[in-house]
Amino acid sequence: MRWLMRSKIHNATVTEANLAYVGSITIDEDLLDAVGMWPGERVLVVSNTSGARLETYTIAGPRGSGAMCMNGAAAHLIGEGEQIIVMAFELTDKPVEQKAALVDAGNHFVRWLTETPATVLEPFGV
């Protein structure tokens, strides 16, 4: 059995950092559906801005809102305006079909990514 990356939202922008909320990351439900993440799923969040990394779980935000909100203690590590990557993993003994979505500054789907050693994106852009 191996842990494999199954879903990724790439280059998202944090729209809110809410310390007064009980944990988690709120993500536009359209994005959750697009990459196959579920509400309550454990995810790794990585800040391209600060380098911070943390694990939390997802909460579905309003569809079409572009919501990408760090909640609770996570808001101390990753703040509003930071650019992040959100990844979900699967424990399996078989290859996984990965879904990696590149999003724009408003956190709306732009295109699917395929990762190869030669894949290069413009810094903080599409």
Side-chain angles (χ1 to χ4, degrees):
M1 300 292 273
R2 298 177 186 198
W3 285 105
L4 299 174
M5 198 274 295
R6 178 181 36 80
S7 305
K8 177 165 78 168
I9 301 169
H10 194 82
N11 282 357
T13 302
V14 176
T15 58
E16 181 181 354
N18 186 347
L19 288 169
Y21 199 93
V22 180
S24 73
I25 181 171
T26 302
I27 301 174
D28 180 323
E29 194 167 6
D30 285 341
L31 280 177
L32 289 177
D33 288 348
V35 297
M37 290 180 189
W38 295 350
E41 185 169 357
R42 177 176 145 191
V43 291
L44 174 65
V45 182
V46 179
S47 172
N48 288 338
T49 305
S50 69
R53 300 172 73 90
L54 61 92
E55 285 186 348
T56 190
Y57 62 93
T58 61
I59 291 179
R63 289 189 179 280
S65 67
M68 193 65 60
C69 308
M70 300 306 307
N71 300 314
H76 283 291
L77 297 176
I78 299 175
E80 185 174 338
E82 289 192 43
Q83 187 181 64
I84 62 172
I85 300 169
V86 182
M87 294 169 278
F89 298 86
E90 182 174 327
L91 182 61
T92 181
D93 60 352
K94 296 180 175 30
V96 172
E97 184 178 338
Q98 299 175 346
K99 286 189 171 183
L102 179 65
V103 298
D104 61 18
N107 297 326
H108 297 100
F109 178 87
V110 172
R111 64 180 166 91
W112 295 110
L113 295 175
T114 55
E115 295 184 16
T116 65
T119 301
V120 177
L121 297 175
E122 294 297 319
F124 300 102
V126 286

